[in-house]
Amino acid sequence: MSSPASDRTEGPGLGCWGHGEELRAHESPGTWRGGHQAEAPQVSLPEAGGARGAGVCSAGGTVLGVAGAACPAPRRGSFPYKEFGWSPSSGSRARLRLPHSSQPRPCRGRCCPGPALTESPASPPALACKVEGPRMSSMFGKPRNSSERPPQSPLPECNVAILGCRGAGKSALTVKFLTKRFISEYDPNLEDTYSSEELVDQQPVLLKVMDTADQDGPRNCERYLCWASAFLVVYSIDNRRSFEGCQRYLEVLALHARGCQRRCPVLLLGNKLDMEQYRQVLSAEGMSLASRFGCLFHEVSACQDFSRVQHVFHEAVREVRRQAEWNLPVQPLFISEERPCPPVATPVALPTHHSLATCTFNTLSPVSYKEIPSVAQAKLVTVKSSRAQSKRKAPTLTLLKGFKIF
Ligand SMILES: Nc1nc2c(ncn2[C@@H]2O[C@H](COP(=O)(O)OP(=O)(O)OP(=O)(O)O)[C@@H](O)[C@H]2O)c(=O)[nH]1
């Protein structure tokens, strides 16, 4: 919150580690891929009512302001919903608390150098949020005309909770992801969940984002522990305390995963990469913490490149999908006793050197079969049939542990 003002130089390009097109946290830091910045789509504000989304900054086509330049300040709650074709959900509290002053003022959002605001006819960012239940006061995109969308989305859902200490930039990242904009001030006490239909790897998903507002570290975590399918744990690279706070969140998540034996993907995010010159937490430290807890690591900036922020959220969805694939129930294999089974399903004959050629593995055959331990429990063990045989270099048996030899 109290970061130095905006006369800074541009930081290095955003870097991240992950798998797929990027690197996992535990991979060599030498494979750092910083320095590249994808172009974010241009966001243009319509000219309307004089309120031009003051306090809203953008870079690389998404920053609406220039460092140190006077940004027109909005009135409280004057987020230009209508200009985007959205309306705040009726009766819901305003999520954003914008500055009071209506006078132009230097942008407090430590906005970054970037092209000046382009004004053009309204072209609302592609975003579809909707209110779902009492928490879903998603002022960021409830469609104006509810008849445009079916009431029940058939889309698969992915719930992402954003955790971290106060001021780390959770709300800024959420808003950036949802609106492609950087808005510098938020009400720190409100916790909200937003949803957005996304296309991740050509597959649609209803991505729900919970912007949490823990007062002082992880407290009453059940609300997100039980809800989320992935977590983004955010710290600010210019604030060591926020980094240390992340560790507590990661510990809570690790404990929870152990307790319920359900591992949700976790991404550790170093935010405010544009504040490079005030950096207090090295990338290597972030990477090392991430690898300690087995999570992915990215560094981003809510006020710079939208595509990097979007990438992180999409990466969370990918991880959830991977996890779901990993957790798919494995169809049990059965092994016949003594007689070979008729080929009911596609037989998977073991290689003859395993000396189990007389047994045929099938999926679900009818007669007297013993269940093999599941893949997760199974372990390959090598058994020598007898000492004498072993002396004669008899072939060894490689079996699944826990399975009886008949
Ligand atoms: N320079 C810079 N400032 C940022 C960035 N992200 C957030 N901020 C600023 O950091 C301050 C805190 O951001 P928030 O998004 O409110 O942080 P938060 O984690 O939601 O904090 P709480 O709402 O208190 O939990 C705000 O003044 C933001 O403008 C960023 O990437 N770069």
Side-chain angles (χ1 to χ4, degrees):
M1 289 289 213
S2 57
S3 321
S6 49
D7 59 332
R8 67 193 177 286
T9 55
E10 220 171 338
L14 304 171
C16 40
W17 295 262
H19 59 87
E21 52 178 319
E22 296 168 20
L23 301 167
R24 270 203 177 271
H26 55 259
E27 284 178 331
S28 154
T31 45
W32 156 270
R33 288 179 56 213
H36 59 278
Q37 275 197 334
E39 266 308 300
Q42 185 82 24
V43 176
S44 308
L45 276 184
E47 200 161 6
R52 293 178 189 165
V56 180
C57 316
S58 129
T62 50
V63 172
L64 313 177
V66 178
C71 289
R75 287 181 302 276
R76 175 191 288 249
S78 64
F79 185 76
Y81 325 99
K82 286 187 182 161
E83 297 170 23
F84 285 99
W86 311 322
S87 56
S89 50
S90 56
S92 79
R93 302 163 298 182
R95 176 72 180 91
L96 300 181
R97 187 170 297 157
L98 296 170
H100 296 249
S101 163
S102 57
Q103 295 304 313
R105 61 185 181 90
C107 184
R108 252 200 69 197
R110 283 81 77 189
C111 20
C112 1
L117 164 63
T118 316
E119 301 200 356
S120 68
S123 55
L127 171 70
C129 298
K130 61 179 185 175
V131 176
E132 294 187 11
R135 280 248 176 93
M136 301 280 175
S137 52
S138 58
M139 61 186 277
F140 290 116
K142 187 186 174 196
R144 230 184 226 173
N145 184 354
S146 56
S147 63
E148 283 167 16
R149 288 183 181 280
Q152 281 291 321
S153 169
L155 294 179
E157 294 181 2
C158 179
N159 297 346
V160 175
I162 309 195
L163 315 177
C165 295
R166 294 188 78 157
K170 301 180 295 292
S171 305
L173 285 169
T174 305
V175 172
K176 181 73 168 196
F177 170 63
L178 295 171
T179 69
K180 299 187 178 151
R181 286 182 160 197
F182 174 66
I183 298 175
S184 62
E185 284 192 32
Y186 307 89
D187 185 329
N189 300 315
L190 293 181
E191 184 164 284
D192 262 312
T193 305
Y194 310 94
S195 51
S196 168
E197 287 176 21
E198 296 288 316
L199 209 56
V200 180
D201 301 333
Q202 283 81 51
Q203 293 172 43
V205 62
L206 184 64
L207 180 52
K208 294 183 179 173
V209 181
M210 185 192 285
D211 175 18
T212 63
D214 281 335
Q215 295 297 316
D216 187 21
R219 292 260 164 81
N220 304 322
C221 314
E222 290 73 26
R223 67 190 190 283
Y224 47 76
L225 288 178
C226 302
W227 175 85
S229 34
F231 299 92
L232 304 185
V233 182
V234 184
Y235 67 90
S236 170
I237 65 155
D238 65 349
N239 185 329
R240 178 155 289 277
R241 273 192 65 199
S242 72
F243 178 67
E244 287 159 3
C246 272
Q247 188 162 329
R248 290 163 61 202
Y249 279 99
L250 293 172
E251 279 161 3
V252 165
L253 295 179
L255 262 176
H256 175 71
R258 216 171 301 149
C260 71
Q261 302 203 331
R262 184 178 73 105
R263 200 186 162 279
C264 291
V266 181
L267 287 84
L268 179 64
L269 299 187
N271 186 34
K272 307 195 189 178
L273 191 54
D274 55 292
M275 302 295 281
E276 180 65 35
Q277 61 184 327
Y278 303 107
R279 185 188 273 277
Q280 293 182 2
V281 184
L282 298 175
S283 303
E285 292 177 278
M287 244 199 297
S288 148
L289 183 64
S291 80
R292 248 183 69 206
F293 285 90
C295 44
L296 299 181
F297 175 62
H298 295 256
E299 285 189 338
V300 291
S301 165
C303 80
Q304 282 186 327
D305 191 3
F306 163 72
S307 63
R308 305 304 308 175
V309 174
Q310 184 191 44
H311 174 79
V312 163
F313 281 85
H314 284 191
E315 202 54 10
V317 174
R318 288 187 189 103
E319 282 297 309
V320 170
R321 286 177 181 163
R322 279 180 200 124
Q323 197 76 43
E325 277 170 26
W326 183 251
N327 289 341
L328 274 182
V330 182
Q331 220 179 7
L333 285 172
F334 290 83
I335 189 166
S336 66
E337 294 181 45
E338 288 161 14
R339 53 210 142 135
C341 332
V344 176
T346 322
V348 186
L350 279 181
T352 46
H353 67 262
H354 282 163
S355 304
L356 276 176
T358 49
C359 302
T360 308
F361 281 64
N362 279 284
T363 51
L364 297 175
S365 315
V367 279
S368 60
Y369 304 122
K370 297 249 175 198
E371 195 171 346
I372 294 179
S374 73
V375 175
Q377 299 155 356
K379 242 185 179 177
L380 283 177
V381 290
T382 300
V383 180
K384 286 183 179 160
S385 50
S386 78
R387 219 173 148 192
Q389 270 184 333
S390 82
K391 276 189 185 157
R392 277 183 270 124
K393 294 194 177 143
T396 55
L397 300 178
T398 303
L399 299 174
L400 291 169
K401 192 178 180 183
F403 181 70
K404 262 188 178 170
I405 310 167
F406 296 98

